[in-house]
Structures are given as structure tokens and as C-alpha cells.
């Protein structure tokens, strides 16, 4: 039994090089409408989407993402937003009780569900995209560039446009590695070795290990791509941003 | 121009009452495969999915979600998981550098993208579901029930099955309320009032305001549904869980 939606999702690949063609307004509206249709906590929609398409802002934003998405005609910066909700509460003579950890996390989930619906719809429209995790690295500079106020935290960035490349699909772990039946099952050393074999033997990964002169794939990630020193430094600036955004009031 | 996938997403509604019919194994596999196809940071897949289907565990889990999903034949508890990744690092003689705030947040996004792909695929298969935000309320008890180890944080719960109801679709804010062009725009009081009118006038919301004897919809949320006192108490236990899970090592 064929299902168009499932086939579309199974064919996903991230796109990093784009045609200069802009995303038409009606396409943007359609994919964002799909985003907002995703489930969200209490239907409170505590998120905002910033669509950046004009120079020089677009180029500056790509710079803050270390040059990623440099050819993309559209950046979507998707934010946790209690600022707008509190404004509505205030106008109704109510408390403003959502600037805390619970709502930071639940709105991060909601913003992400919105983002993923946008992405599935985008691929249905022939667009390509790449998630840029670097939004959590340069959060303060990105917030300043986009005039983001207190109570708003950018948590997801997408660069998007019509693809100018047809990248190969990346590998995934076998489902068995991710899925636990009934309760969480502990992995044996043999499980871990067996389940990661597909990843370690994936040609692109082997090539990257060789290029970077490391012993194995785990070393590539832990020493070169995402080392401890960077993770600690970024976690500190991120925590500072979250505090200044007002989410540690409890 | 009709697009099946976009129509499916635009028709979304949460389902809270389910038939007793189980989710067939091949359907579960298919929707989880779609989940794992979602983008994720560095293709590190730092998430786990726990599928609970058997009694008495299933009923106990529903209880920890305050009875929500009581008729669902399937609960998916989707977790941030650096535990498995660290195990692989250790076997390769590497650091275990991902137990910190950066990776808690980026893996929360990744777990959510996975969850939303599962949901879109589930609806494509004729299933219904409801997200249960209560996973962040009773996190310790849920983690204990599901034998969740240190380094793993449940962030999304879905109850799922074949629908036994056809609920009305809930309202959404106009896209204008959520979308910012180029940079974040500040809202005037009039903007906020105008943009929330559709929500305040939505019949179901008016009914709930009346039933609960409050002045307006904002009061329903801030005094009855999600009041400050609860948010603070839950944020504290959540922070404690996150610390014990090992994510504040920086």
C-alpha cells in the first residue's frame, strides 16, 4: 500500500545549496499554516516565526550561523514566545505566569512541532531546507540582529529554498537502536557495537574519519565536531541568555 | 493545486478517545521509521522512543498523566537520550561530553521533530493521537515506571490509537499573530486585542469561560488551567530531575 505522505517523509534529505529563486508568498503562507496546525500545549501557541528574506539582514543572519545557508533565499527563526502571551494576559488584567523552566521546555517542544510541520509541507511543495543547530550557539547575537525582546528565545532555525543540489540520503541507526518495548531496556556493549556498525561503515562517515585523521567516528564527534570545551562554553552563554530572557523566575 | 500531505496536516485534530483495536506491528514500524527520518543534530539521533502497550504498565502510565489517554492502546514516551550515545563514545575510548544544557535543548528539539514526523505518519495511517504535556509534570515518576536511566529525559508523550471520536477542529490565531517579517515586530495593544478575537469568540472557549465562572479566557488559563503556583512548583521538580539526569555539568 503506497502512501504519498509517508513516501515523502521517508525520502527526506537536508539541502544546503539553493537556487536564487524566491519562495512565493502563497507557498510561504501555506507551509506556515501547516506549521501552526501542529498540536501545541493548551492551544496557547507560545511561539513566533521570523521570516527573513531581505539583504543585508539575510547575509548577516547566515554569518551568525557560520556561513551555513549562505545561498538560501529564506531563513525561518522559530522562537519560544511568552512575550506575546503575557501581553494578552496583561490586557485582560491577569497574571503573567509563564516565564519559567516548564514553559521554556514545553514551548520548545511546541516550536519544534511547528517547525517540523513546516518542513514536511515545504518538501511537499518542492522546497528543501536544513536545520541549523547553531541557533543555540550565537543566541544573543541572533536575538539582537532580529530585535528579539525579553520573553522570546530562538530555538530552531531553518534555511530554506528551492534545491540546487540532490544530496545523497544520510544513514540512520536501525530502529531497534532507538525503540524500547514497554520500558527502557539497557544496552549491552555488544548491542551498542552492533547497532552502530551501519553508521561506522557508512562511506561518507569513513571518508570524514580519514580526512580528519582520527581513529574512529566517535572521536570525530567528541574531539573535532562537538568537543567538551565548546559544549561547556556554549551551555554557559545559553544559560545566561535564558536567564536574561526571564525564564529562571522560580 | 491539491496536495495530499498538506491537506492531511491542515485537517489535524487531537484525538482523546480510542478504539480498543491495537496498532499493528507493521504500522508502528512504519510511523517510527518516519520519525527517525526527521532531521537531527549531527545525525547523532540523541533520542529514544519507548512504546508501551501492555497492561498493567499502560494503565499506570495513563494514571501518571492524570488519566489522559486512558483508552489508548499505545503510549509513546519520547526522550532526550545521551546515555546511549555516551555508551558508544566510551566503547570507542572517547570523552562523554554531551550531558549539558546545549545538548538537552538541541536533543529536545530533535526528539520533538521525530515526534511530529511520527504524528503526521500516524494520521496518514488513519491513527489519531494526543500530545500529553504532563510528561514534564510527573517526570520522575514516569522515568521510574519506565526504568529510564541517568542521561535520559522524557520530553514528549503521545497517546495513540484508532480514533473512537471525530472531534471538532480547534481554532488557531491568524498567521499574522505568529509571523514576523524580517525581524521581530512589537505588538501594539490593539494588535493583541484584534489578533486574539478569533480565539476569545471561539464557541468552545466561550463555553469554558462560562463553565468555570471566570471573567475571560486569559483568566481561565492563568488562574484555572496553568496558574503561577503550579508552574513554579513544576519548574522546580523539573529542574531537579534535569540536574539528577546529569545535564547541568558545566
Amino acid at each position: 500500500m503506497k502512501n504519498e505522505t509517508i513516501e515523502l517523509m521517508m525520502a527526506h534529505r537536508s539541502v544546503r545549496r539553493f537556487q536564487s529563486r524566491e519562495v512565493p508568498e502563497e507557498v510561504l503562507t501555506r507551509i506556515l499554516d501547516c506549521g501552526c496546525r501542529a498540536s501545541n500545549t493548551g492551544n496557547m501557541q507560545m511561539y513566533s516565526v521570523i521570516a527573513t528574506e531581505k539583504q543585508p539582514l539575510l547575509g548577516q543572519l547566515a554569518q551568525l550561523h557560520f556561513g551555513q545557508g549562505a545561498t538560501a533565499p529564506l531563513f525561518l527563526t522559530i522562537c519560544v514566545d511568552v512575550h506575546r502571551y503575557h501581553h494578552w494576559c496583561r490586557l485582560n488584567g491577569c497574571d503573567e505566569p509563564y516565564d519559567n523552566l516548564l514553559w521554556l521546555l514545553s514551548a520548545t517542544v511546541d516550536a519544534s512541532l511547528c517547525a517540523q510541520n513546516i518542513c514536511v509541507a515545504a518538501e511537499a511543495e518542492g522546497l528543501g531546507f536544513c536545520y541549523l543547530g547553531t541557533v543555540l550557539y550565537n543566541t544573543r547575537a541572533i536575538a539582537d540582529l532580529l530585535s528579539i525582546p525579553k520573553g522570546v528565545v530562538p530555538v530552531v532555525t531553518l534555511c530554506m529554498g528551492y534545491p540546487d543540489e540532490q544530496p545523497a540520503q544520510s544513514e540512520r541507526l536501525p530502529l531497534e537502536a532507538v525503540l524500547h518495548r514497554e520500558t527502557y531496556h539497557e544496552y549491552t556493549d555488544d548491542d551498542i557495537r552492533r547497532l552502530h556498525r551501519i553508521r561506522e561503515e557508512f562511506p561518507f562517515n569513513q571518508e570524514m574519519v580519514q580526512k580528519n585523521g582520527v581513529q574512529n567516528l566517535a572521536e570525530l564527534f567528541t574531539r573535532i565536531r562537538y568537543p567538551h570545551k565548546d559544549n561547556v562554553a556554549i551551555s554557559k552563554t545559553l544559560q545566561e541568555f535564558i536567564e536574561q530572557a526571564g525564564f529562571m523566575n522560580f
Side-chain angles (χ1 to χ4, degrees), chain A:
Chain A
M1 196 189 66
K2 279 203 164 200
N3 182 300
E4 216 173 84
T5 301
I6 287 179
E7 285 184 5
L8 179 81
M9 283 191 285
M10 290 305 292
H12 163 69
R13 48 207 77 198
S14 294
V15 168
R16 294 176 175 81
R17 216 173 58 213
F18 301 92
Q19 301 170 33
S20 57
R21 177 149 73 111
E22 283 178 14
V23 178
E25 188 65 22
E26 71 272 17
V27 173
L28 180 61
T29 299
R30 208 146 51 217
I31 67 175
L32 294 179
D33 276 340
C34 284
C36 293
R37 261 294 140 209
S39 298
N40 71 89
T41 310
N43 201 17
M44 294 154 89
Q45 290 185 267
M46 289 212 205
Y47 52 73
S48 273
V49 180
I50 306 172
T52 305
E53 298 179 279
K54 291 192 182 135
Q55 296 295 1
L57 207 57
L58 188 61
Q60 290 162 348
L61 198 47
Q63 275 311 306
L64 291 179
H65 289 282
F66 307 99
Q68 293 178 102
T71 58
L74 170 65
F75 267 66
L76 298 176
T77 307
I78 307 181
C79 309
V80 165
D81 189 347
V82 304
H83 173 71
R84 184 184 66 235
Y85 203 86
H86 279 177
H87 191 163
W88 177 65
C89 293
R90 201 160 56 244
L91 291 179
N92 282 282
C94 292
D95 272 7
E96 299 167 41
Y98 302 114
D99 49 351
N100 43 56
L101 183 64
L102 171 62
W103 291 90
L104 174 68
L105 278 187
S106 65
T108 296
V109 171
D110 293 345
S112 305
L113 305 184
C114 172
Q116 188 58 14
N117 259 21
I118 291 171
C119 286
V120 173
E123 287 188 338
E125 292 278 354
L127 291 161
F129 62 85
C130 187
Y131 279 92
L132 304 182
T134 40
V135 67
L136 299 177
Y137 292 27
N138 271 333
T139 317
R140 166 57 59 206
I142 291 167
D144 288 347
L145 184 69
L146 300 178
S147 307
I148 287 175
K150 193 175 169 180
V152 181
V153 180
V155 290
V156 172
T157 294
L158 291 163
C159 62
M160 190 172 276
Y162 292 97
D164 194 32
E165 61 168 355
Q166 291 191 299
Q169 197 170 39
S170 59
E171 88 289 357
R172 291 292 186 271
L173 296 174
L175 184 53
E176 186 195 346
V178 166
L179 177 59
H180 305 251
R181 306 310 294 244
E182 303 310 320
T183 60
Y184 194 100
H185 70 267
E186 201 41 87
Y187 304 86
T188 65
D189 291 356
D190 281 347
D191 288 339
I192 292 289
R193 283 193 196 95
R194 176 175 51 82
L195 294 167
H196 287 78
R197 202 160 297 148
I198 190 174
R199 176 149 290 170
E200 291 163 359
E201 292 175 354
F202 194 70
F204 176 79
N205 293 336
Q206 292 197 326
E207 202 184 305
M208 292 304 287
V209 165
Q210 206 157 31
K211 256 192 195 161
N212 284 278
V214 287
Q215 298 291 318
N216 54 49
L217 191 62
E219 199 181 326
L220 177 66
F221 278 86
T222 57
R223 268 194 48 206
I224 314 279
R225 289 195 63 179
Y226 307 110
H228 185 255
K229 191 167 68 76
D230 293 358
N231 297 331
V232 165
I234 298 165
S235 291
K236 281 182 181 155
T237 58
L238 191 55
Q239 186 179 39
E240 201 175 275
F241 184 89
I242 288 167
E243 279 170 5
Q244 289 170 359
F247 283 90
M248 298 308 277
N249 297 329
F250 61 90

